[in-house]
Amino acid sequence: IFKDSVANNEIQNYYKSCDILISAHDPEIEGVPIPILEGLASGIPVISSKPKEGYSDGLENIVEFSELTALSLKKAIEKILSDQEINKKLRNNALKKANDFSSSKIEKQEADVYRELLGIK
């Protein structure tokens, strides 16, 4: 099922019903999209566009990276759906990694950057 848009108060129901979340975003212009973070927090195996080298945001072994080709995406989907060990590992790692993106941690990181820019200790 491909959905263009889902209301914020309904989104968790879609994530809970997913077998895999796929984000075919352009890694040249976007970091980690919000839907990937939401998928991680829902414990869903995620397939993400392969990032530029050095820009994975620590998502190795958390998401399955795929080139932006039909064949690469097909292989990633088959890998997750056919191997229950990998599926379970991705689900568990997703939930653990989601904590790194909690609002309190992100807000603290942003505040630290602003303090550093302003010379405040």
Side-chain angles (χ1 to χ4, degrees):
I1 298 171
F2 292 88
K3 294 292 287 181
D4 289 335
S5 180
V6 176
N8 285 338
N9 63 342
E10 297 175 15
I11 193 85
Q12 70 278 0
N13 298 325
Y14 283 88
Y15 285 123
K16 289 177 186 176
S17 70
C18 289
D19 294 317
I20 298 173
L21 175 75
I22 301 170
S23 177
H25 62 283
D26 184 346
E28 294 287 325
I29 59 172
E30 186 173 14
V32 178
I34 296 296
I36 289 179
L37 300 178
E38 292 169 338
L40 295 176
S42 298
I44 301 168
V46 173
I47 298 173
S48 175
S49 302
K50 186 174 182 178
K52 291 170 60 172
E53 188 172 331
Y55 290 92
S56 68
D57 290 303
L59 294 177
E60 298 85 5
N61 300 311
I62 311 296
V63 305
E64 184 68 28
F65 291 122
S66 172
E67 298 290 342
L68 288 173
T69 67
L71 181 59
S72 182
L73 185 56
K74 177 182 182 277
K75 287 180 180 180
I77 293 169
E78 288 174 343
K79 179 179 178 180
I80 291 170
L81 293 180
S82 67
D83 189 326
Q84 289 305 308
E85 297 247 346
I86 289 173
N87 191 305
K88 184 178 179 180
K89 179 185 92 169
L90 290 173
R91 288 177 182 275
N92 290 335
N93 290 349
L95 289 170
K96 290 175 190 172
K97 184 65 175 177
N99 290 324
D100 291 349
F101 295 99
S102 71
S103 59
S104 60
K105 285 185 180 180
I106 296 298
E107 289 169 1
K108 182 186 179 320
Q109 289 173 353
E110 287 182 10
D112 290 345
V113 168
Y114 289 122
R115 282 188 195 95
E116 182 179 333
L117 290 170
L118 297 170
I120 301 170
K121 294 183 183 202

